[in-house]
């Protein structure tokens, strides 16, 4: 029988939470967020929202971003990578 596609389990993370838990020039992705217990282990899709302040340069790899989150990440010299 064909494999059923996994149900999408969506998580949301805010800029302030990322800023508190990652150091300058780190890469923020699904695995690193799970390792730090900031997203549930079963999460397989996440969106970054712009609550709070970002004060460091980060590369953020996520499925989706709010427009304001993208602006904040880019204004600190970081990179935004949208993944499928």
């Amino acid at each position: 029988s064909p494999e059923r596609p996994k149900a999408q389990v969506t998580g949301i993370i805010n800029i302030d939470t990322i800023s508190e838990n990652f150091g300058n020039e780190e890469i923020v992705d699904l695995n690193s967020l799970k390792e730090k217990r900031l997203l549930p282990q079963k999460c397989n899709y996440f969106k970054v929202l712009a609550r709070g302040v970002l004060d460091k340069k980060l590369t953020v790899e996520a499925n989706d971003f709010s427009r304001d989150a993208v602006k904040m990440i880019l204004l600190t010299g970081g990179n935004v990578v949208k993944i499928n």
Side-chain angles (χ1 to χ4, degrees):
S1 65
E3 238 183 87
R4 278 193 299 165
K6 270 197 210 169
Q8 183 171 297
V9 180
T10 303
I12 290 178
I13 190 103
N14 282 287
I15 286 289
D16 57 354
T17 304
I18 290 173
S19 189
E20 288 168 18
N21 289 279
F22 288 85
N24 195 42
E25 300 201 13
E26 281 194 273
I27 295 175
V28 180
D29 62 12
L30 185 59
N31 288 332
S32 63
L33 290 165
K34 287 180 180 181
E35 282 172 16
K36 293 177 185 280
R37 301 192 191 299
L38 300 173
L39 287 176
Q41 290 301 313
K42 63 185 178 187
C43 180
N44 56 13
Y45 181 101
F46 76 102
K47 181 172 183 172
V48 179
L49 300 181
R51 184 190 73 199
V53 176
L54 181 63
D55 59 358
K56 54 194 74 156
K57 179 179 174 179
L58 297 170
T59 296
V60 183
E61 301 175 359
N63 303 100
D64 202 6
F65 297 84
S66 72
R67 186 175 297 139
D68 287 340
V70 170
K71 284 182 194 172
M72 273 196 240
I73 295 164
L74 294 177
L75 284 172
T76 59
N79 295 305
V80 172
V81 180
K82 191 165 183 179
I83 57 174
N84 293 333

